[in-house]
């Protein structure tokens, strides 16, 4: 509510970050794409590859699509022209003198123009995009971010989609009813109940939900108590899954990063560590205020976002291909490939849960049908 006033006072000297809003958007995106939180963590922390702006005369005069192949050690993702930054611009967009490029790299000195790599055209496949279908989602738990999460979810789902919210907090029902009246695509219903109650969870038709989000009761409980409740619910879900031979996609919110190891034992598909992400966002923007607009774009339902899409939509599986080939296949779909995920390594923290951002482009990789390509795209 104070953003407009803060902008008037701070003008260009202050870059505003709304952590709850950004973390809520990340939660929605991650719930729909397992592994996405690992990609964001890679881009936000200072231990791996990060996003840099650089003036690079070597690509002046060529198109964005042509320039994609000209960086061996970094991943080109956008252009800053006339003060406006555009991620995954049109492949025909010309890079002019005075423009800056936006890249993912281990360091800004790694952003160097090189010769274009070899592309294996015979490995590239063409797949038509399928229309989005209505979905059924489930939220277990509630906190102040949940209202933003529900409103943001409405921007991503197809008309006719359904969302069920289960919470033990008495005030949640009235809040959910208010939110439900303003939805365009989403029918939202509320069900009271203790989210750790095994009988309640057993009674729900869990396989009918495509995505399950576990939220901490962080507004009403101490951090460890809230995380413990989330973990208990997660353990119940996995036990029900195992005993019934079912499969659920579960994203869990943690408040304390130290509890992530426990969530891994409970086999969550993905994790959102709220305070950690908020801190990393603030630190990145403090280092370079231009990144604020980049992250706003990435986390917004409009514009370019990060997607993890089936590798079989881009290249044939079972044969080794280099990343230049994947880059070219994505370019033909007006997308910017920035990495991949090996699903067989999804449970291995030592291998970044299978996520490779800005991989070595010349290295040959053999993908399976379950693997994913990480792209910047409009949808």
């Amino acid at each position: 509510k104070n953003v407009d006033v803060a902008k008037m006072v701070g003008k260009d000297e202050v870059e505003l970050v709304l952590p709850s809003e950004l973390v809520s958007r990340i939660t929605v995106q991650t719930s729909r794409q397992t592994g996405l939180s690992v990609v964001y963590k890679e881009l936000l922390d200072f231990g791996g590859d990060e996003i840099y702006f650089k003036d690079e005369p070597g690509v002046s005069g060529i198109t964005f699509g042509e320039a994609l192949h000209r960086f061996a050690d970094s991943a080109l993702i956008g252009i800053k022209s006339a003060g406006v930054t555009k991620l995954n611009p049109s492949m025909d967009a010309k890079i002019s003198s005075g423009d800056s490029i936006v890249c993912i790299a281990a360091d800004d000195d790694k952003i160097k123009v090189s010769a274009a790599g070899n592309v294996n055209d015979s490995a590239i496949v063409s797949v038509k995009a399928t229309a989005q279908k209505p979905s059924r989602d489930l939220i277990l738990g509630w906190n102040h971010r949940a209202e933003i999460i529900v409103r943001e979810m409405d921007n991503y789902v197809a008309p006719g989609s359904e969302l069920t919210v289960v919470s033990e907090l008495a005030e949640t029902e009235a809040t959910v009813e208010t939110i439900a009246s303003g939805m365009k695509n989403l029918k939202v219903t509320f069900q009271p109940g203790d989210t750790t109650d095994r009988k309640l969870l057993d009674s729900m038709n869990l396989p009918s939900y495509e995505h399950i989000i576990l939220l901490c009761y962080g507004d009403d409980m101490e951090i460890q108590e809230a995380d413990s409740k989330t973990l208990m619910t997660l353990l119940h879900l996995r036990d029900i899954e195992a005993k019934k031979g079912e499969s659920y996609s579960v994203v869990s919110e943690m408040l304390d990063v130290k509890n992530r190891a426990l969530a891994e034992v409970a086999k969550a598909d993905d994790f959102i560590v709220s305070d950690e992400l908020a801190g990393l966002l603030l630190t990145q923007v403090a280092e370079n205020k231009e990144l604020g607009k980049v992250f706003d774009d990435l986390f917004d339902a409009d514009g370019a976002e990060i997607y993890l899409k089936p590798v079989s939509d881009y290249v044939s599986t079972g044969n080794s291909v280099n990343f230049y080939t994947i880059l070219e296949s994505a370019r033909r779909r007006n997308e910017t490939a920035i990495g991949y995920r090996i699903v067989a390594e999804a449970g291995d923290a030592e291998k970044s849960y299978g996520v490779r951002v800005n991989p070595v482009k010349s290295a040959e990789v053999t993908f399976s049908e379950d693997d994913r390509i990480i792209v910047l795209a409009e949808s």
Side-chain angles (χ1 to χ4, degrees):
K1 290 182 292 185
N2 300 322
V3 166
D4 291 337
V5 174
K7 285 180 178 177
M8 285 190 290
V9 174
K11 296 186 172 63
D12 294 334
E13 299 303 315
V14 176
E15 187 67 29
L16 299 171
V17 178
L18 299 173
S20 287
E21 184 114 356
L22 292 174
V23 171
S24 298
R25 290 175 177 178
I26 293 172
T27 303
V28 174
Q29 292 182 9
T30 301
S31 73
R32 312 190 76 73
Q33 302 185 86
T34 301
L36 185 58
S37 73
V38 183
V39 179
Y40 283 143
K41 178 81 182 302
E42 172 76 12
L43 296 177
L44 289 170
D45 70 19
F46 291 90
D49 289 59
E50 301 161 49
I51 299 173
Y52 294 95
F53 288 77
K54 189 173 183 181
D55 297 331
E56 182 47 75
V59 290
S60 179
I62 66 174
T63 66
F64 178 78
E66 291 169 331
L68 284 173
H69 293 271
R70 302 296 299 277
F71 295 92
D73 300 315
S74 59
L76 178 65
I77 61 171
I79 306 170
K80 180 185 176 185
S81 180
V84 177
T85 299
K86 175 70 174 173
L87 301 181
N88 188 48
S90 165
M91 295 297 154
D92 296 326
K94 275 278 181 71
I95 302 174
S96 303
S97 176
D99 290 350
S100 297
I101 57 171
V102 189
C103 288
I104 298 171
D107 199 77
D108 59 354
D109 63 6
K110 298 290 186 182
I111 305 172
K112 298 176 181 177
V113 177
S114 60
N118 294 323
V119 172
N120 180 1
D121 278 297
S122 64
I124 294 175
V125 298
S126 179
V127 177
K128 289 184 178 180
T130 55
Q132 189 181 18
K133 297 179 181 178
S135 62
R136 296 190 78 231
D137 296 337
L138 175 65
I139 291 179
L140 300 173
W142 193 262
N143 57 45
H144 69 281
R145 280 182 288 272
E147 184 171 348
I148 306 171
I149 288 171
V150 176
R151 294 187 191 282
E152 191 68 17
M153 193 178 289
D154 190 48
N155 295 323
Y156 284 89
V157 298
S161 297
E162 300 176 16
L163 171 67
T164 302
V165 176
V166 180
S167 169
E168 64 186 51
L169 303 176
E171 63 270 22
T172 306
E173 184 171 10
T175 305
V176 170
E177 287 177 356
T178 302
I179 298 169
S181 64
M183 296 291 101
K184 302 189 301 291
N185 301 316
L186 199 58
K187 179 185 177 183
V188 185
T189 56
F190 175 76
Q191 180 176 339
D194 179 356
T195 51
T196 63
D197 183 355
R198 180 60 177 257
K199 288 184 179 179
L200 172 68
L201 296 174
D202 271 325
S203 70
M204 304 185 76
N205 183 16
L206 294 173
S208 70
Y209 297 102
E210 292 176 45
H211 314 102
I212 300 175
I213 301 177
L214 299 186
L215 295 180
C216 292
Y217 291 101
D219 301 340
D220 299 84
M221 300 178 184
E222 294 295 324
I223 290 175
Q224 297 307 323
E225 183 184 0
D227 276 357
S228 295
K229 200 171 184 71
T230 302
L231 286 165
M232 192 181 301
T233 304
L234 179 58
L235 286 167
H236 278 315
L237 289 174
R238 288 315 186 201
D239 190 52
I240 294 170
E241 181 182 58
K243 288 181 176 176
K244 292 186 177 181
E246 298 168 345
S247 179
Y248 320 134
S249 172
V250 183
V251 171
S252 301
E253 179 192 38
M254 295 282 116
L255 297 178
D256 187 342
V257 67
K258 294 190 293 292
N259 291 329
R260 176 167 182 150
L262 294 173
E264 287 171 5
V265 174
K267 297 181 180 178
D269 291 290
D270 222 329
F271 314 91
I272 299 293
V273 186
S274 305
D275 290 346
E276 181 190 32
L277 281 175
L280 290 171
L281 275 166
L282 285 165
T283 308
Q284 286 283 350
V285 176
E287 287 284 314
N288 181 358
K289 71 175 187 176
E290 290 183 295
L291 288 174
K293 293 181 178 60
V294 171
F295 293 130
D296 281 344
D297 192 5
L298 283 177
F299 304 147
D300 198 330
D302 297 325
E305 299 162 55
I306 296 176
Y307 293 89
L308 286 85
K309 299 188 178 185
V311 68
S312 56
D313 286 0
Y314 297 86
V315 293
S316 54
T317 57
N319 299 307
S320 64
V321 293
N322 63 23
F323 198 73
Y324 286 110
T325 302
I326 292 168
L327 199 64
E328 174 60 19
S329 181
R331 184 195 68 79
R332 295 178 187 181
R333 297 161 60 109
N334 296 306
E335 299 174 352
T336 303
I338 63 171
Y340 56 82
R341 190 185 198 202
I342 304 298
V343 173
E345 299 173 358
D348 192 339
E350 296 294 319
K351 294 182 178 179
S352 298
Y353 306 97
V355 169
R356 308 282 191 279
V357 174
N358 184 32
V360 178
K361 293 184 177 66
S362 58
E364 298 277 331
V365 182
T366 301
F367 293 100
S368 72
E369 286 284 341
D370 295 329
D371 295 332
R372 294 288 185 268
I373 302 300
I374 307 168
V375 297
L376 271 172
E378 297 292 327
S379 62

